[in-house]
Amino acid sequence: MNINEKNYVENFLKNIEITHNLSELFFEKLFDKIPGAEKVFNKNLESRHSKFVNMISIFKNLKHYEKMVSAYQSLAGRHQNYSVDPAWYPVAVELLVDTLDQSFDEIQASEREMFKNVFSYITTIMQSSVSDEHFVSEELSKKPEIKNFLKEVGGEDVIKQVHQRFYDVIFEDEWLGTFFYGKNKPTLVRKQTEFMLNCLGNYSDYHGETPALIHLHMFITEDMFLLRRQMLKDAILSHGLSESVAEKWLYIDGIFRDGIVKKDISECVMKCVGQMPISAKKPAGYKYQSSVFYSDDLV
């Protein structure tokens, strides 16, 4: 995959409408070529379309693809849990190229090759990461002390309660709360809890997107990430858990940092035509008031 191929594919996909007809054409080809695939994907058309949109979104961020590697690897691990055979990847690449070729007249033989090279490069990263453990588990293996983390915390209910505290604060925050306008708090609490359990090895419960994919269109800076991290730490400590637990929790939470934080709004990737980046300007005089006592003031 060279820079010209990356630029062509990224620009092409950013400027087309991902219609239901396009997604269903792909799945028709997939199910015809790999009958077993139909058992893996939800029969609901909207659900399948959503998955197709997310798949295309992966290839809209090629300029910064190195920041997405952890997302590719984690996604591959989840595919494995859904009984997706890694041998299907090269077949899916061919079918995706065929789908685009059939749907857009401007794609010629040379462009087909570009698409194939780019799609194959990314799916190769995914294939290479598929093993008995997720990418996240491999990262956590670097910290053996996290092995019994769930028991140390006090179980699933405690994790959910901490996330409730966390979202209660961030929803009301005049800066970061901007990202949560119109969102359903109980749903986010549940999904974040399931995601955390997934990271700890309970793979069957979480079926959402990876953090990198969820935040593709959000301009989240390093300062925002650190502030969110502080809010999470406060929620952990105010629940009566120890600094040691907080340190381990934040380590797990921070694994996907590189796929979320952006240096410039141009790094945002839109999932569909017409979508706009979500950003939040820091209010004048803003100061986060921690619920936990620290010796230094927090800004």
Side-chain angles (χ1 to χ4, degrees), residues 229-293:
R229 179 183 176 89
Q230 185 62 59
M231 290 177 177
L232 179 56
K233 182 178 182 180
D234 287 351
I236 297 167
L237 296 179
S238 63
H239 199 71
L241 299 172
S242 68
E243 284 278 358
S244 174
V245 166
E247 179 184 350
K248 295 169 187 174
W249 193 315
L250 295 176
Y251 175 83
I252 298 168
D253 186 78
I255 289 175
F256 291 98
R257 174 201 167 281
D258 289 345
I260 297 173
V261 172
K262 301 174 180 68
K263 293 182 179 179
D264 188 82
I265 199 168
S266 64
E267 295 180 29
C268 291
V269 176
M270 306 304 109
K271 290 186 177 182
C272 59
V273 176
Q275 188 180 39
M276 299 295 291
I278 297 178
S279 61
K281 184 177 179 180
K282 187 176 183 179
Y286 173 86
K287 190 171 184 179
Y288 169 59
Q289 185 62 49
S290 173
S291 60
V292 179
F293 175 77

Coordinates of all heavy atoms in Angstrom, one line a residue, residues 229-293:
R229 N -9.7 11.4 31.8 CA -9.0 10.4 32.6 C -9.1 10.8 34.1 O -9.3 9.9 35.0 CB -7.6 10.3 32.1 CG -6.6 9.4 32.9 CD -5.2 9.5 32.4 NE -4.3 8.7 33.1 CZ -4.0 7.4 32.8 NH1 -4.6 6.8 31.8 NH2 -3.1 6.8 33.6
Q230 N -9.0 12.1 34.3 CA -9.0 12.6 35.7 C -10.4 12.4 36.3 O -10.6 12.0 37.5 CB -8.7 14.1 35.8 CG -8.6 14.6 37.2 CD -7.5 13.9 38.1 OE1 -6.4 14.0 37.7 NE2 -7.9 13.3 39.1
M231 N -11.5 12.6 35.5 CA -12.8 12.4 35.9 C -13.1 10.9 36.3 O -13.7 10.6 37.3 CB -13.8 12.8 34.9 CG -13.9 14.3 34.6 SD -15.0 14.7 33.3 CE -14.9 16.5 33.3
L232 N -12.5 10.0 35.5 CA -12.7 8.6 35.7 C -11.9 8.2 37.0 O -12.5 7.5 37.8 CB -12.1 7.8 34.5 CG -12.2 6.3 34.7 CD1 -13.6 5.8 35.0 CD2 -11.6 5.6 33.4
K233 N -10.7 8.8 37.2 CA -10.0 8.5 38.4 C -10.8 8.9 39.6 O -10.8 8.2 40.7 CB -8.6 9.2 38.4 CG -7.8 8.8 39.6 CD -6.4 9.5 39.5 CE -5.6 9.1 40.7 NZ -4.2 9.7 40.7
D234 N -11.4 10.1 39.5 CA -12.1 10.6 40.7 C -13.3 9.7 41.0 O -13.6 9.5 42.1 CB -12.7 12.0 40.3 CG -11.6 13.1 40.4 OD1 -10.5 12.8 40.8 OD2 -11.8 14.2 39.9
A235 N -14.0 9.2 39.9 CA -15.1 8.3 40.1 C -14.7 7.0 40.8 O -15.4 6.5 41.7 CB -15.8 8.0 38.8
I236 N -13.5 6.5 40.5 CA -13.0 5.3 41.1 C -12.7 5.5 42.5 O -13.1 4.8 43.4 CB -11.7 4.9 40.3 CG1 -12.0 4.5 38.9 CG2 -11.1 3.7 41.0 CD1 -10.8 4.3 38.0
L237 N -12.0 6.6 42.8 CA -11.5 6.9 44.2 C -12.7 7.3 45.1 O -12.8 6.9 46.3 CB -10.5 8.0 44.2 CG -9.2 7.7 43.5 CD1 -8.2 8.8 43.6 CD2 -8.5 6.4 44.2
S238 N -13.7 8.1 44.5 CA -14.8 8.5 45.4 C -15.7 7.3 45.7 O -16.6 7.4 46.6 CB -15.6 9.6 44.6 OG -16.1 9.1 43.4
H239 N -15.6 6.2 44.9 CA -16.3 5.0 45.2 C -15.7 4.2 46.4 O -16.2 3.2 46.7 CB -16.5 4.2 44.0 CG -17.6 3.2 44.0 ND1 -18.9 3.5 44.0 CD2 -17.6 1.8 44.2 CE1 -19.7 2.5 44.1 NE2 -18.9 1.4 44.2
G240 N -14.6 4.7 46.9 CA -13.9 4.0 48.0 C -12.8 3.0 47.5 O -12.3 2.3 48.4
L241 N -12.5 3.0 46.3 CA -11.5 2.1 45.8 C -10.1 2.7 46.0 O -9.9 3.9 46.1 CB -11.7 1.7 44.3 CG -13.1 1.0 44.0 CD1 -13.3 0.9 42.6 CD2 -13.1 -0.4 44.7
S242 N -9.1 1.9 45.9 CA -7.7 2.3 46.2 C -7.0 3.0 45.0 O -7.4 2.8 43.9 CB -6.9 1.1 46.7 OG -6.7 0.2 45.6
E243 N -5.9 3.7 45.3 CA -5.1 4.3 44.3 C -4.5 3.2 43.4 O -4.4 3.4 42.2 CB -3.9 5.0 44.9 CG -4.3 6.4 45.5 CD -4.3 7.5 44.4 OE1 -4.1 7.2 43.3 OE2 -4.7 8.6 44.8
S244 N -4.2 2.0 44.0 CA -3.7 0.9 43.2 C -4.7 0.4 42.2 O -4.4 0.1 41.0 CB -3.3 -0.3 44.1 OG -2.9 -1.4 43.4
V245 N -6.0 0.3 42.6 CA -7.0 -0.1 41.7 C -7.2 1.0 40.6 O -7.4 0.6 39.4 CB -8.4 -0.3 42.4 CG1 -9.5 -0.3 41.5 CG2 -8.3 -1.6 43.3
A246 N -7.2 2.2 41.0 CA -7.3 3.3 40.0 C -6.2 3.3 39.0 O -6.5 3.5 37.8 CB -7.3 4.7 40.7
E247 N -5.0 3.0 39.4 CA -3.9 2.9 38.5 C -4.1 1.8 37.4 O -3.8 2.0 36.2 CB -2.6 2.7 39.2 CG -1.3 2.6 38.3 CD -0.1 2.3 39.1 OE1 -0.1 2.3 40.3 OE2 0.9 2.0 38.4
K248 N -4.5 0.7 37.9 CA -4.7 -0.5 37.0 C -5.9 -0.2 36.0 O -5.9 -0.5 34.8 CB -5.0 -1.7 37.8 CG -3.8 -2.2 38.6 CD -4.2 -3.3 39.6 CE -3.0 -3.6 40.5 NZ -3.4 -4.6 41.5
W249 N -7.0 0.4 36.6 CA -8.1 0.7 35.8 C -7.8 1.7 34.7 O -8.2 1.5 33.5 CB -9.2 1.3 36.7 CG -10.6 1.4 36.1 CD1 -10.9 1.9 34.9 CD2 -11.8 1.1 36.8 NE1 -12.3 1.9 34.7 CE2 -12.9 1.4 35.8 CE3 -12.1 0.6 38.0 CZ2 -14.2 1.2 36.2 CZ3 -13.5 0.4 38.4 CH2 -14.5 0.7 37.4
L250 N -7.0 2.7 35.0 CA -6.6 3.7 34.0 C -5.7 3.2 33.0 O -5.7 3.6 31.8 CB -6.0 4.9 34.7 CG -7.0 5.7 35.7 CD1 -6.2 6.8 36.4 CD2 -8.1 6.3 34.9
Y251 N -4.9 2.2 33.4 CA -4.0 1.6 32.4 C -4.8 0.9 31.3 O -4.6 1.0 30.1 CB -3.1 0.6 33.1 CG -2.2 -0.2 32.1 CD1 -1.0 0.3 31.6 CD2 -2.6 -1.5 31.7 CE1 -0.3 -0.4 30.7 CE2 -1.9 -2.2 30.8 CZ -0.7 -1.7 30.3 OH 0.1 -2.4 29.4
I252 N -5.9 0.1 31.8 CA -6.7 -0.6 30.8 C -7.5 0.4 30.0 O -7.5 0.3 28.7 CB -7.8 -1.5 31.6 CG1 -7.0 -2.5 32.4 CG2 -8.8 -2.1 30.7 CD1 -7.9 -3.3 33.4
D253 N -8.0 1.4 30.6 CA -8.8 2.5 29.9 C -7.9 3.2 28.8 O -8.4 3.6 27.8 CB -9.3 3.5 30.9 CG -10.3 4.5 30.2 OD1 -11.4 4.1 29.9 OD2 -9.8 5.6 30.0
G254 N -6.6 3.3 29.1 CA -5.8 4.1 28.2 C -5.2 3.3 27.0 O -4.5 3.9 26.2
I255 N -5.5 2.0 26.9 CA -4.9 1.2 25.9 C -5.2 1.8 24.5 O -4.4 1.7 23.6 CB -5.3 -0.3 26.0 CG1 -4.6 -0.9 27.2 CG2 -5.0 -1.0 24.7 CD1 -5.1 -2.3 27.5
F256 N -6.4 2.3 24.4 CA -6.9 2.8 23.0 C -6.7 4.3 22.8 O -7.3 4.8 21.9 CB -8.4 2.4 22.9 CG -8.6 0.9 22.7 CD1 -9.0 0.2 23.8 CD2 -8.4 0.3 21.5 CE1 -9.3 -1.2 23.7 CE2 -8.6 -1.1 21.4 CZ -9.1 -1.8 22.5
R257 N -5.9 4.9 23.7 CA -5.7 6.3 23.6 C -5.3 6.8 22.2 O -5.8 7.8 21.6 CB -4.6 6.8 24.6 CG -4.2 8.2 24.5 CD -2.9 8.5 25.1 NE -2.4 9.8 24.7 CZ -1.9 10.1 23.5 NH1 -1.7 9.2 22.6 NH2 -1.5 11.3 23.2
D258 N -4.3 6.1 21.6 CA -3.8 6.6 20.3 C -4.8 6.6 19.2 O -4.7 7.3 18.2 CB -2.6 5.7 19.9 CG -1.4 6.0 20.7 OD1 -1.3 7.0 21.5 OD2 -0.4 5.1 20.7
G259 N -5.8 5.7 19.3 CA -6.9 5.7 18.3 C -8.0 6.7 18.5 O -8.9 6.9 17.7
I260 N -7.9 7.4 19.6 CA -9.0 8.4 20.0 C -8.5 9.8 19.9 O -9.1 10.7 19.3 CB -9.5 8.1 21.4 CG1 -10.1 6.7 21.5 CG2 -10.4 9.2 21.9 CD1 -10.5 6.3 22.9
V261 N -7.3 10.1 20.4 CA -6.7 11.5 20.5 C -6.3 11.9 19.1 O -5.7 11.2 18.3 CB -5.6 11.5 21.4 CG1 -4.9 12.9 21.4 CG2 -6.1 11.3 22.9
K262 N -6.6 13.2 18.7 CA -6.3 13.7 17.4 C -5.6 15.1 17.7 O -5.9 15.8 18.6 CB -7.5 13.9 16.6 CG -8.3 12.6 16.3 CD -9.6 12.9 15.6 CE -10.3 11.6 15.3 NZ -10.8 10.9 16.6
K263 N -4.6 15.4 16.8 CA -3.9 16.6 16.9 C -4.6 17.8 16.1 O -4.4 19.0 16.4 CB -2.5 16.5 16.3 CG -1.6 15.6 17.2 CD -0.2 15.5 16.6 CE 0.7 14.6 17.5 NZ 2.1 14.4 17.0
D264 N -5.4 17.4 15.1 CA -6.1 18.4 14.3 C -7.4 17.9 13.9 O -7.6 16.6 13.7 CB -5.2 18.7 13.1 CG -5.8 19.9 12.3 OD1 -5.5 21.0 12.7 OD2 -6.5 19.7 11.3
I265 N -8.4 18.8 13.7 CA -9.7 18.3 13.3 C -9.8 17.7 12.0 O -10.7 16.9 11.7 CB -10.7 19.6 13.4 CG1 -12.1 19.1 13.5 CG2 -10.5 20.5 12.2 CD1 -13.1 20.2 13.8
S266 N -8.8 17.9 11.2 CA -8.7 17.3 9.8 C -8.5 15.7 9.9 O -8.8 15.0 9.0 CB -7.6 17.9 9.0 OG -6.3 17.6 9.6
E267 N -8.1 15.3 11.1 CA -8.0 13.8 11.3 C -9.3 13.1 11.5 O -9.4 11.9 11.5 CB -7.0 13.6 12.5 CG -5.6 14.1 12.3 CD -4.7 13.8 13.5 OE1 -5.0 12.8 14.2 OE2 -3.8 14.6 13.7
C268 N -10.4 13.9 11.8 CA -11.7 13.3 12.0 C -12.2 12.6 10.7 O -11.9 13.1 9.6 CB -12.7 14.3 12.4 SG -12.4 15.0 14.0
V269 N -12.8 11.5 10.8 CA -13.3 10.7 9.7 C -14.8 10.6 9.8 O -15.4 10.2 10.8 CB -12.7 9.3 9.6 CG1 -13.3 8.5 8.4 CG2 -11.2 9.4 9.4
M270 N -15.6 11.0 8.7 CA -17.0 11.0 8.7 C -17.5 9.6 8.2 O -16.9 9.0 7.2 CB -17.6 12.0 7.8 CG -17.1 13.5 8.1 SD -17.4 13.9 9.9 CE -15.7 13.9 10.5
K271 N -18.5 9.0 8.9 CA -19.0 7.7 8.5 C -19.9 7.8 7.3 O -20.2 6.8 6.6 CB -19.7 7.1 9.6 CG -18.8 6.6 10.8 CD -19.5 5.8 11.8 CE -18.6 5.3 12.9 NZ -19.3 4.5 13.9
C272 N -20.5 9.0 7.0 CA -21.4 9.1 5.9 C -21.4 10.6 5.4 O -20.9 11.5 6.1 CB -22.9 8.8 6.4 SG -23.5 9.8 7.7
V273 N -21.8 10.7 4.2 CA -21.8 12.1 3.5 C -22.7 13.0 4.3 O -23.9 12.6 4.7 CB -22.3 12.0 2.1 CG1 -22.4 13.3 1.4 CG2 -21.3 11.1 1.3
G274 N -22.3 14.2 4.6 CA -23.1 15.2 5.3 C -22.8 15.2 6.8 O -23.2 16.2 7.5
Q275 N -22.2 14.2 7.4 CA -21.8 14.2 8.8 C -20.7 15.2 9.0 O -19.8 15.4 8.2 CB -21.4 12.8 9.2 CG -21.2 12.7 10.7 CD -20.7 11.3 11.1 OE1 -19.9 10.7 10.5 NE2 -21.2 10.8 12.2
M276 N -20.8 15.9 10.2 CA -19.8 16.9 10.5 C -19.0 16.4 11.7 O -19.5 15.7 12.6 CB -20.5 18.2 10.8 CG -21.2 18.8 9.6 SD -20.1 19.2 8.2 CE -19.2 20.6 9.0
P277 N -17.7 16.9 11.9 CA -16.9 16.5 13.1 C -17.6 17.1 14.3 O -18.2 18.2 14.3 CB -15.6 17.2 12.8 CG -15.5 17.5 11.3 CD -17.0 17.7 10.9
I278 N -17.5 16.4 15.4 CA -17.9 16.9 16.7 C -16.7 17.4 17.5 O -15.8 16.7 17.6 CB -18.7 15.8 17.5 CG1 -19.9 15.3 16.8 CG2 -19.0 16.3 18.9 CD1 -20.6 14.2 17.5
S279 N -16.8 18.7 17.9 CA -15.7 19.3 18.6 C -16.3 20.1 19.8 O -17.5 20.3 19.8 CB -14.9 20.2 17.7 OG -15.6 21.2 17.2
A280 N -15.5 20.5 20.7 CA -16.0 21.2 21.9 C -14.9 22.3 22.2 O -13.8 21.9 22.6 CB -16.3 20.3 23.0
K281 N -15.3 23.5 22.2 CA -14.4 24.6 22.6 C -14.4 24.8 24.1 O -15.5 24.8 24.7 CB -14.9 25.9 21.9 CG -14.0 27.1 22.2 CD -14.4 28.3 21.5 CE -13.5 29.5 21.7 NZ -14.0 30.7 21.0
K282 N -13.2 24.9 24.6 CA -13.1 25.0 26.1 C -13.7 26.4 26.5 O -13.3 27.4 26.0 CB -11.7 24.9 26.5 CG -11.4 24.9 28.0 CD -9.9 24.7 28.3 CE -9.6 24.6 29.8 NZ -8.2 24.4 30.0
P283 N -14.7 26.4 27.4 CA -15.3 27.7 27.8 C -14.3 28.6 28.5 O -13.4 28.1 29.2 CB -16.4 27.2 28.8 CG -16.6 25.8 28.5 CD -15.3 25.2 28.0
A284 N -14.5 29.8 28.4 CA -13.6 30.8 29.0 C -13.7 30.6 30.5 O -14.8 30.5 31.1 CB -14.0 32.2 28.6
G285 N -12.5 30.6 31.2 CA -12.5 30.5 32.6 C -12.8 29.1 33.2 O -13.1 28.9 34.4
Y286 N -12.9 28.1 32.2 CA -13.3 26.8 32.7 C -12.3 26.2 33.7 O -11.0 26.4 33.5 CB -13.3 25.8 31.5 CG -13.5 24.4 31.8 CD1 -14.8 23.8 32.0 CD2 -12.4 23.5 32.0 CE1 -15.0 22.5 32.4 CE2 -12.6 22.2 32.4 CZ -13.9 21.7 32.6 OH -14.1 20.4 32.9
K287 N -12.8 25.5 34.7 CA -12.0 24.9 35.7 C -12.7 23.6 36.2 O -13.8 23.8 36.7 CB -11.6 25.8 36.8 CG -10.5 25.2 37.8 CD -10.0 26.2 38.7 CE -8.9 25.6 39.6 NZ -8.3 26.6 40.6
Y288 N -12.1 22.5 36.1 CA -12.8 21.3 36.6 C -12.6 21.2 38.1 O -11.5 21.3 38.7 CB -12.1 20.0 35.9 CG -12.5 18.7 36.6 CD1 -13.9 18.3 36.6 CD2 -11.6 17.9 37.1 CE1 -14.2 17.2 37.2 CE2 -11.9 16.7 37.7 CZ -13.3 16.3 37.8 OH -13.6 15.1 38.4
Q289 N -13.7 21.0 38.8 CA -13.8 20.9 40.2 C -13.8 19.4 40.6 O -14.9 18.8 40.5 CB -15.0 21.6 40.8 CG -15.0 21.7 42.3 CD -13.8 22.4 42.9 OE1 -13.5 23.5 42.5 NE2 -13.1 21.8 43.9
S290 N -12.7 18.9 41.1 CA -12.7 17.5 41.4 C -13.5 17.2 42.7 O -13.6 18.0 43.6 CB -11.2 17.1 41.7 OG -11.2 15.8 42.2
S291 N -14.1 16.0 42.7 CA -14.8 15.6 43.9 C -13.9 14.9 44.9 O -14.4 14.5 46.0 CB -15.9 14.6 43.5 OG -15.4 13.4 42.8
V292 N -12.7 14.7 44.5 CA -11.7 14.1 45.4 C -10.6 15.1 45.8 O -10.2 15.9 44.9 CB -11.0 12.9 44.7 CG1 -10.0 12.2 45.6 CG2 -12.1 11.9 44.3
F293 N -10.2 15.1 47.0 CA -9.1 16.1 47.5 C -7.8 15.7 46.9 O -7.3 14.6 47.0 CB -9.1 16.1 49.0 CG -7.9 17.0 49.5 CD1 -8.1 18.4 49.4 CD2 -6.7 16.5 49.9 CE1 -7.1 19.3 49.9 CE2 -5.7 17.3 50.3 CZ -5.9 18.7 50.3

